[in-house]
Amino acid sequence: MKVQIQSQSLRLRIDESELARLLAGEVLENQTWLGTPGALSQRLQLHDTAEALLDGDTHALMITLPREEVLALQARLPCRDGLSFVLPTQALPLQLQFDVDVRDSVRQRGVQRRNSSDAVSIS
């Protein structure tokens, strides 16, 4: 799991094998050891919720995503568009972006061709 944090934005990107583990009920974890200050960790899990949730603290963050939305994302892979959530926090809302690595998806699944009903006509 790759974690990118900037300002009020948190992006999580996983590969196909991590997606399979997540859908099988496993909790994914990213941990960074900082020496004396301790560790930072982000854990990701799915749950039968209607919205994304954050729990824990800055050293051990638990991110919970709605299982149905992740299953819908899996059905349309490979794609560049992931899932986006706005999470209310006490100070400012947090933008959470969840993606499956499109290059890994293409390697694993191949390229999906658009059918003629998806084609756009230009007049």
Side-chain angles (χ1 to χ4, degrees), residues 1 10-14 18-19 22-23 26-28 43-55 62-71 73 82-87 95-100:
M1 173 172 55
L10 173 62
R11 180 180 182 208
L12 306 173
R13 187 174 67 197
I14 64 174
E18 290 169 317
L19 177 62
L22 191 63
L23 291 170
E26 289 186 41
V27 175
L28 302 182
R43 298 179 65 185
L44 177 62
Q45 67 181 3
L46 299 182
H47 200 269
D48 295 325
T49 61
E51 56 192 40
L53 304 169
L54 288 179
D55 195 20
M62 175 60 82
I63 302 125
T64 303
L65 298 179
R67 182 182 325 279
E68 290 304 314
E69 289 198 43
V70 174
L71 285 169
L73 173 62
L83 301 176
S84 186
F85 305 93
V86 177
L87 303 172
Q95 179 70 39
L96 173 63
Q97 180 71 33
F98 173 74
D99 303 301
V100 177

Side-chain angles (χ1 to χ4, degrees), residues 7 14-15 17 28 30 32 34-35 45 48 51 55 57-58 62-63 65 70 80 92 97 100-101 103 112-114 117:
S7 189
I14 64 174
D15 62 25
S17 65
L28 302 182
N30 177 67
T32 304
L34 301 174
Q45 67 181 3
D48 295 325
E51 56 192 40
D55 195 20
D57 59 32
T58 55
M62 175 60 82
I63 302 125
L65 298 179
V70 174
R80 293 189 187 276
L92 297 168
Q97 180 71 33
V100 177
D101 187 323
R103 289 172 291 173
Q112 290 183 346
R113 302 282 181 211
R114 290 184 177 183
S117 66

